[in-house]
């Protein structure tokens, strides 16, 4: 964290606010790992306006994802969902499919936590299509596991079993 703080200080002294924001993102990640959640949030939020000003949509989406993680861990599922939905719109616009797969998985998980099986199914099905399209076995398996949970929630044990078998096969590949 000290290296990030020194880098942030030097970037600030040279008025390179974009680099200040990048260092804030790194400091936020260190704070997160150290369970300093309010500080992590402050650093992430502090970087957001700079990324927007520089029209760095990739970094804006990353910050939204990080804030979504914090909100989810704090039990603020509605706020987490909103962060991920904002990130998803950006990721679709810039065609960042790897990060989009992460966001779809998280949206599926949050929808399940909120007992919203229809949205969970939609997110997991979208994730499965994207993952299969690019051969992403890990996220294809994750999507199948999520679809199995949705099917169990809907009282469809046979469907759940089929998805679970698919998930298991994908994890072995």
């Amino acid at each position: 964290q000290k290296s990030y703080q020194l880098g942030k200080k030097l970037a600030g002294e040279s008025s390179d606010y974009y680099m200040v924001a990048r260092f804030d993102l790194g400091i936020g990640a260190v704070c997160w790992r150290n369970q300093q959640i309010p500080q992590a949030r402050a650093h992430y939020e502090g970087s957001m306006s700079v990324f927007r000003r520089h029209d760095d949509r990739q970094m804006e989406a990353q910050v939204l994802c990080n804030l979504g993680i914090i909100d989810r861990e704090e039990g603020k599922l509605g706020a987490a969902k909103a962060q991920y939905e904002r990130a998803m719109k950006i990721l679709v616009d810039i065609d960042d499919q790897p990060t989009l797969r992460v966001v779809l998985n998280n949206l599926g998980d949050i929808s399940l936590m909120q007992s919203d099986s229809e949205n969970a199914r939609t997110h997991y099905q979208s994730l499965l299509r994207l993952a299969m399209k690019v051969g992403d076995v890990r996220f294809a398996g994750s999507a199948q596991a999520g679809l199995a949970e949705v099917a169990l929630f809907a009282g469809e044990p046979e469907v759940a079993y089929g998805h679970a078998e698919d998930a298991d096969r994908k994890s072995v590949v």
Side-chain angles (χ1 to χ4, degrees):
Q1 188 170 352
K2 289 181 182 181
S3 297
Y4 281 120
Q5 288 171 335
L6 176 60
K8 180 180 173 180
K9 179 180 182 248
L10 293 172
E13 288 172 0
S14 67
S15 299
D16 187 346
Y17 300 111
Y18 183 83
M19 283 309 298
V20 168
R22 294 292 301 246
F23 283 114
D24 260 338
L25 206 56
I27 294 168
V30 171
C31 290
W32 168 253
R33 281 192 297 274
N34 291 331
Q35 296 298 307
Q36 299 167 323
I37 307 307
Q39 296 91 329
R41 180 184 297 280
H43 285 288
Y44 292 149
E45 289 175 346
S47 67
M48 181 69 81
S49 64
V50 175
F51 294 136
R52 284 184 177 148
R53 211 170 29 251
H54 282 83
D55 198 32
D56 190 336
R57 305 207 60 220
Q58 172 63 46
M59 293 308 298
E60 181 181 350
Q62 182 61 54
V63 172
L64 290 167
C65 289
N66 291 350
L67 291 170
I69 291 168
I70 289 174
D71 287 335
R72 180 178 172 173
E73 289 298 314
E74 290 179 336
K76 300 174 186 172
L77 298 181
K81 181 179 177 183
Q83 302 282 19
Y84 285 124
E85 287 173 342
R86 288 170 53 204
M88 183 172 66
K89 287 178 184 172
I90 293 169
L91 296 167
V92 167
D93 284 348
I94 65 173
D95 196 30
D96 179 348
Q97 292 192 15
T99 309
L100 181 59
R101 291 192 294 275
V102 172
V103 168
L104 286 168
N105 192 63
N106 287 332
L107 281 168
D109 292 349
I110 288 169
S111 294
L112 274 179
M113 291 174 183
Q114 294 178 315
S115 300
D116 183 354
S117 60
E118 285 310 306
N119 272 327
R121 183 185 318 267
T122 298
H123 294 306
Y124 289 132
Q125 286 172 338
S126 296
L127 172 60
L128 182 59
R129 278 191 301 276
L130 278 177
M132 296 299 289
K133 183 173 142 183
V134 296
D136 185 334
V137 177
R138 185 184 80 149
F139 275 114
S142 182
Q144 290 287 9
L147 288 167
E149 287 187 60
V150 170
L152 282 175
F153 184 80
E156 302 169 338
E158 299 82 20
V159 174
Y161 182 75
H163 285 300
E165 279 189 324
D166 286 345
D168 189 48
R169 272 195 301 277
K170 285 176 178 47
S171 69
V172 175
V173 173

